[in-house]
Amino acid sequence: MDTFKIFFRRFLYVLGFFAILILGLLLFWMYKGIPIISLDPFSYVPSSAMYILETDEPVDSWEEISSSQLWKHLQTQPYFGELTKDAASLDTMIHQNREVFDFLGKRKVLVSSHIHKQGDYDFLFIVDLKREIPSFLEKNIGTFMSSVEDSSKYEYKGNRIYLIKNTSDNSQWAISIRQHLLLCSQTPALIEAALDERENPNNFENNRRFKKVVSKTSSRNLGNLFINYDLADEFFGLYMDESNEYLNDISEALFFSGLNLDLEQIGDDDDENASTLVRMIGTTGINDSVPSHVRALLRSGSSDITAARVVPQRSAFYFSVNFDDFLSYYDKFTEVLQRDEEAYQEYQNQIRTVERLLDISVRDNFFSWIGSEMAVIQSEATESIDKNDEYALVLKAKSISEATAQLEFIGEKIRKRTPVKVVVSEHKGHKISMLAVKGFFKLVMGKYFEKIDKPYFTFIEDYVIFSNSPKTLKNLIDDYEMGLTLAKSPSFQNFFKEFEADNSNFFAYINMPVALKTLKRSMSPETWKTVQQNANYVISQPHWGFQLRRDETNFYDTRLVTVYENPEKVRNDYKLAQENRKKLLEQLNSKNILEKVFGTEEKIDLFEQLQTIPESELIELDKDNAERRLIVRSQEDTRYEYEVKGSIKDGVYREFKAGKLIIEGYYKNDKRDGKWRFYDKNGKIKERKRYKEGEETKFSLF
């Protein structure tokens, strides 16, 4: 959270800092005509940079930011109080010295972020003055910037570093001058690292991949943001309480992104509900030398993003991976994995174990029906649901009938070859089944899917949706039936216009008001405390989106977009959405109750009865693949429970009076069969009978 504030505060200091310096040098330059020297500022950026911000016109960029609705919103947040004062002072300085700042504005400024010690980071600023600073001025820069007693200097490998005290807040700035470049940081070690980096033959100036990303990144608008994915996991580790395997893999699979920054205000200046769209559009290079799921996914073709038709509006996170079809990804993944012989053999052993256990072909019976899109959803956090139960995996099927047939085939194999029951239920007309093999997805699809540990699944349109929790599937079904999907959300659709729905490789979306509760579980206590204190600032960015699309040069067109809105409007919209869902759910459930009243049967939601019904009596698919259901009827103080196969009684039968069991038996083909027990009011057996094909029979040894 402090990154944003610290960055802007120090950026403002640097703008003012160098404006004063240039004011002192301006006349000298005008008359002496010191020649321009070509020295690449990127050659001084240490390789430990997590990201680099580049702008060619810092003053113009600042003026555009400070006049945006985004900045107006930030000014209302107490968290940015000191920053607002600094910004006001800078605005005054700019307007009073317009000509000087016009001169300052036409030059390159780089700002890079670095972890310089455990759990902490700082920024390095590099300003290209375009003309070399004369040696006599460089030697006396301490006098230019402050009184003698407030400045000092020291030598580092033949380079002079000045330490200048900022008397307004007692902070200290370290600066060094390399011909026409000014290096500045509040951490002297970063200046030393920058001076060392110039001698590194593999620095950013000489990095072939980085130079390619730079060449493909536009220089328009506010500036550019370059992301170094090699340090992504370390950067997010500053805020997260535990390591994240997904970030680790992304860190290995991607090299650099170069993104052009742009702001667009939506609405009138005097409208407090006007918003600011922040676009970052550019390119990303991937690492072809490291085997990973990410690389396999990005190399497996592309397809259209369509899962938003079934993804609930109240999803906290949603990301969609697209490919030609799943077998293309699977073949690419095994090809990539073969580069690591040990990992490849382990994976093949896992597949063979599953196939031997269930007598199936994972490729033919499971992978073959998966189509061109795979999405992961994390639903809104609730206290009653385990965090892993909030996840759902959405697989687009080539043919929903083929998917149904193959999953039923796997279910039948599970029933025959394991003691586990194949559970089936129904919710709002959608069948919910259980693929009762613990860890199935992790075994056959890898660690990315380990959160789906004991999957239940259902079918909606052309999608098969898996989750650990039937409650999550039921909520998802409810949202679909009520029309509360992302595809039918006006706010999401307006936001999604910033992306390309066709030929996508990867798309990720965060709904920040919903995601707040889920973020708590992954953040460190200190970061979460800061988030709570500044909730208005966090939710003022309700939508975040990120997309990768492969281009013809094997790089990936990249979009990172967010929108800033009035936090009160965001809160109100979120509250109205919750109230609307509650109202629609009541209407949906009322309709369902009417259907039960006018029908002859009431279906029991089996999954809510799992704790009370013995495992031996769970509803299952029989050997003919026919569905069994538990039926409940009530008449005055008598309650009847019995299983049906199709429309006839077939299975356990129970009868209760005043809540107490009075009869217990078994039906076969709609006729009494086997042992029946009759109980008195105290629960003791008063009579036993045996039936065969509906007729009572006497016990016999022959």
Side-chain angles (χ1 to χ4, degrees):
M1 283 294 299
D2 285 337
T3 307
F4 186 76
K5 184 170 72 171
I6 293 173
F7 164 74
F8 264 105
R9 187 175 178 85
R10 295 184 183 174
F11 183 67
L12 295 176
Y13 273 140
V14 169
L15 280 180
F17 182 78
F18 291 120
I20 295 171
L21 177 62
I22 289 175
L23 183 61
L25 301 176
L26 182 56
L27 290 176
F28 182 88
W29 275 336
M30 290 174 61
Y31 290 104
K32 294 298 181 181
I34 297 174
I36 297 174
I37 299 174
S38 177
L39 191 62
D40 189 349
F42 282 108
S43 65
Y44 283 92
V45 178
S47 58
S48 62
M50 296 176 287
Y51 59 85
I52 306 168
L53 181 66
E54 174 194 36
T55 177
D56 290 329
E57 299 199 8
V59 174
D60 288 348
S61 296
W62 163 247
E63 287 194 312
E64 184 171 348
I65 291 172
S66 62
S67 64
S68 69
Q69 201 69 25
L70 176 154
W71 186 254
K72 293 176 183 177
H73 288 164
L74 293 183
Q75 286 179 303
T76 65
Q77 307 300 318
Y79 180 66
F80 294 97
E82 294 181 3
L83 185 60
T84 301
K85 293 178 184 178
D86 297 332
S89 299
L90 181 63
D91 285 337
T92 301
M93 185 186 297
I94 289 174
H95 291 125
Q96 290 177 350
N97 301 275
R98 184 69 257 181
E99 292 182 357
V100 174
F101 276 92
D102 282 345
F103 180 81
L104 172 65
K106 308 292 191 240
R107 60 202 65 257
K108 187 185 295 294
V109 175
L110 298 183
V111 186
S112 55
S113 176
H114 306 260
I115 298 176
H116 67 90
K117 62 182 180 180
Q118 184 66 33
D120 199 6
Y121 60 89
D122 206 346
F123 301 97
L124 171 69
F125 297 83
I126 302 176
V127 178
D128 183 359
L129 297 175
K130 293 188 178 180
R131 294 181 185 274
E132 182 175 358
I133 295 179
S135 59
F136 84 91
L137 290 176
E138 189 266 338
K139 292 177 181 178
N140 293 280
I141 192 170
T143 304
F144 270 98
M145 298 306 302
S146 64
S147 60
V148 175
E149 59 269 21
D150 288 332
S151 66
S152 61
K153 62 188 176 187
Y154 69 95
E155 295 289 323
Y156 178 76
K157 297 181 179 180
N159 301 288
R160 188 175 289 111
I161 297 177
Y162 300 92
L163 302 176
I164 301 172
K165 187 176 181 181
N166 181 353
T167 56
S168 65
D169 62 1
N170 291 321
S171 63
Q172 179 179 262
W173 288 86
I175 68 171
S176 186
I177 299 172
R178 302 305 300 150
Q179 297 179 357
H180 60 104
L181 296 181
L182 291 175
L183 284 61
C184 179
S185 177
Q186 286 198 336
T187 300
L190 285 181
I191 301 296
E192 296 173 7
L195 296 171
D196 289 338
E197 193 68 24
R198 174 64 182 170
E199 308 305 318
N200 180 5
N202 298 316
N203 61 26
F204 284 112
E205 180 188 16
N206 300 319
N207 188 307
R208 176 178 55 84
R209 297 184 179 92
F210 182 74
K211 289 174 67 175
K212 183 66 174 179
V213 167
V214 171
S215 70
K216 291 171 68 65
T217 305
S218 170
S219 59
R220 299 178 295 107
N221 303 315
L222 296 176
N224 296 323
L225 174 68
F226 299 100
I227 301 172
N228 180 10
Y229 291 100
D230 186 47
L231 296 166
D233 52 343
E234 295 180 36
F235 175 69
F236 284 103
L238 293 173
Y239 307 100
M240 294 183 173
D241 205 22
E242 55 188 30
S243 63
N244 187 300
E245 288 187 279
Y246 304 101
L247 289 175
N248 293 342
D249 278 2
I250 289 174
S251 179
E252 291 182 352
L254 305 181
F255 276 129
F256 303 103
S257 283
L259 305 173
N260 185 246
L261 310 178
D262 185 29
L263 298 181
E264 179 187 348
Q265 181 166 310
I266 302 172
D268 299 329
D269 289 339
D270 57 354
D271 183 0
E272 64 177 10
N273 288 327
S275 59
T276 301
L277 198 64
V278 183
R279 295 188 186 91
M280 290 168 265
I281 300 176
T283 191
T284 296
I286 73 166
N287 188 346
D288 284 328
S289 62
V290 177
S292 69
H293 277 284
V294 175
R295 179 174 171 242
L297 287 168
L298 293 176
R299 291 296 194 188
S300 303
S302 60
S303 64
D304 299 345
I305 300 172
T306 61
R309 297 205 304 262
V310 298
V311 176
Q313 295 175 13
R314 55 185 190 82
S315 298
F317 301 96
Y318 151 54
F319 66 83
S320 173
V321 179
N322 301 80
F323 26 69
D324 291 338
D325 61 59
F326 189 83
L327 288 178
S328 298
Y329 157 67
Y330 179 66
D331 290 340
K332 281 287 184 184
F333 171 64
T334 53
E335 176 186 316
V336 168
L337 200 60
Q338 286 179 39
R339 299 187 182 184
D340 185 335
E341 183 63 28
E342 183 178 348
Y344 178 70
Q345 288 301 324
E346 180 182 357
Y347 179 71
Q348 290 298 314
N349 290 338
Q350 291 173 346
I351 293 293
R352 284 193 290 268
T353 298
V354 173
E355 292 183 331
R356 285 197 303 269
L357 174 66
L358 300 180
D359 187 26
I360 64 171
S361 164
V362 168
R363 184 184 183 92
D364 295 341
N365 300 128
F366 192 75
F367 291 162
S368 64
W369 56 263
I370 303 176
S372 58
E373 185 175 17
M374 178 170 60
V376 175
I377 307 166
Q378 186 175 11
S379 59
E380 189 169 18
T382 62
E383 297 296 331
S384 60
I385 297 181
D386 181 84
K387 64 178 182 179
N388 283 345
D389 290 350
E390 295 165 4
Y391 287 91
L393 173 66
V394 180
L395 300 178
K396 187 173 184 179
K398 297 176 183 177
S399 164
I400 202 66
S401 59
E402 176 65 15
T404 302
Q406 291 295 350
L407 286 170
E408 287 180 349
F409 174 79
I410 295 173
E412 174 64 11
K413 290 293 186 179
I414 292 173
R415 191 186 71 82
K416 286 182 176 180
R417 300 179 69 88
T418 73
V420 180
K421 301 296 180 181
V422 182
V423 181
V424 179
S425 184
E426 188 177 278
H427 183 72
K428 304 294 194 304
H430 297 267
K431 186 165 69 173
I432 299 177
S433 305
M434 182 179 182
L435 195 63
V437 177
K438 187 175 178 63
F440 178 82
F441 277 92
K442 181 181 179 181
L443 287 173
V444 302
M445 297 174 74
K447 64 184 179 182
Y448 283 146
F449 305 94
E450 64 185 357
K451 292 185 183 297
I452 311 296
D453 187 41
K454 45 183 187 301
Y456 296 82
F457 63 92
T458 191
F459 304 91
I460 300 180
E461 293 190 8
D462 293 331
Y463 303 91
V464 186
I465 306 174
F466 296 85
S467 176
N468 287 336
S469 170
K471 289 184 178 179
T472 297
L473 293 181
K474 286 167 59 180
N475 289 334
L476 194 148
I477 290 168
D478 287 339
D479 287 322
Y480 176 78
E481 292 296 326
M482 292 183 291
L484 298 179
T485 60
L486 288 180
K488 296 184 178 180
S489 165
S491 62
F492 175 79
Q493 286 303 306
N494 286 334
F495 180 71
F496 190 66
K497 290 176 183 177
E498 296 296 319
F499 302 90
E500 301 292 341
D502 61 322
N503 297 321
S504 178
N505 294 98
F506 177 86
F507 172 73
Y509 170 71
I510 301 175
N511 182 345
M512 190 57 71
V514 180
L516 268 179
K517 290 182 181 179
T518 62
L519 287 173
K520 179 181 179 180
R521 293 166 173 168
S522 59
M523 288 181 171
S524 65
E526 295 78 12
T527 302
W528 176 244
K529 183 178 179 180
T530 304
V531 168
Q532 287 180 300
Q533 292 170 346
N534 304 281
N536 274 353
Y537 162 62
V538 176
I539 67 166
S540 68
Q541 308 153 70
H543 305 287
W544 283 86
F546 177 73
Q547 184 178 34
L548 295 174
R549 296 172 78 236
R550 189 175 183 180
D551 65 19
E552 66 281 356
T553 63
N554 292 331
F555 279 75
Y556 289 81
D557 291 333
T558 307
R559 290 173 179 260
L560 176 60
V561 183
T562 186
V563 60
Y564 282 77
E565 296 181 359
N566 186 319
E568 287 305 312
K569 178 181 181 299
V570 175
R571 289 184 188 279
N572 289 334
D573 289 347
Y574 179 54
K575 182 179 179 181
L576 288 173
Q578 288 182 310
E579 293 174 350
N580 182 53
R581 185 179 188 275
K582 182 178 179 181
K583 180 180 177 181
L584 291 175
L585 188 58
E586 289 175 352
Q587 294 174 354
L588 182 66
N589 289 334
S590 296
K591 178 182 177 183
N592 193 54
I593 289 172
L594 287 174
E595 290 175 350
K596 292 178 181 179
V597 169
F598 288 104
T600 58
E601 299 174 348
E602 180 184 352
K603 299 173 184 176
I604 286 295
D605 186 339
L606 176 63
F607 302 118
E608 293 179 352
Q609 305 290 332
L610 285 178
Q611 301 303 316
T612 58
I613 300 178
E615 182 180 352
S616 60
E617 296 167 11
L618 293 180
I619 297 172
E620 61 179 314
L621 296 176
D622 69 10
K623 63 182 180 180
D624 297 322
N625 222 25
E627 182 184 344
R628 294 184 181 277
R629 291 177 294 129
L630 184 65
I631 307 301
V632 174
R633 283 177 166 179
S634 295
Q635 185 176 351
E636 296 180 353
D637 65 343
T638 304
R639 171 175 170 156
Y640 306 87
E641 292 183 1
Y642 53 89
E643 288 181 299
V644 297
K645 174 182 172 184
S647 60
I648 63 173
K649 293 186 182 73
D650 195 282
V652 175
Y653 175 94
R654 290 192 182 95
E655 190 174 320
F656 300 81
K657 195 170 187 69
K660 295 183 178 180
L661 181 65
I662 59 172
I663 301 175
E664 185 179 43
Y666 194 87
Y667 273 92
K668 184 176 182 181
N669 294 326
D670 215 27
K671 296 178 180 179
R672 289 189 177 190
D673 191 79
K675 296 178 182 179
W676 280 65
R677 297 180 178 89
F678 300 83
Y679 302 85
D680 63 20
K681 62 181 180 180
N682 296 317
K684 294 182 179 180
I685 297 175
K686 65 179 182 180
E687 189 177 17
R688 290 185 177 91
K689 293 185 179 181
R690 179 179 290 274
Y691 292 87
K692 185 175 182 180
E693 296 184 11
E695 298 292 331
E696 185 178 355
T697 62
K698 299 296 181 181
F699 287 92
S700 173
L701 295 177
F702 304 99

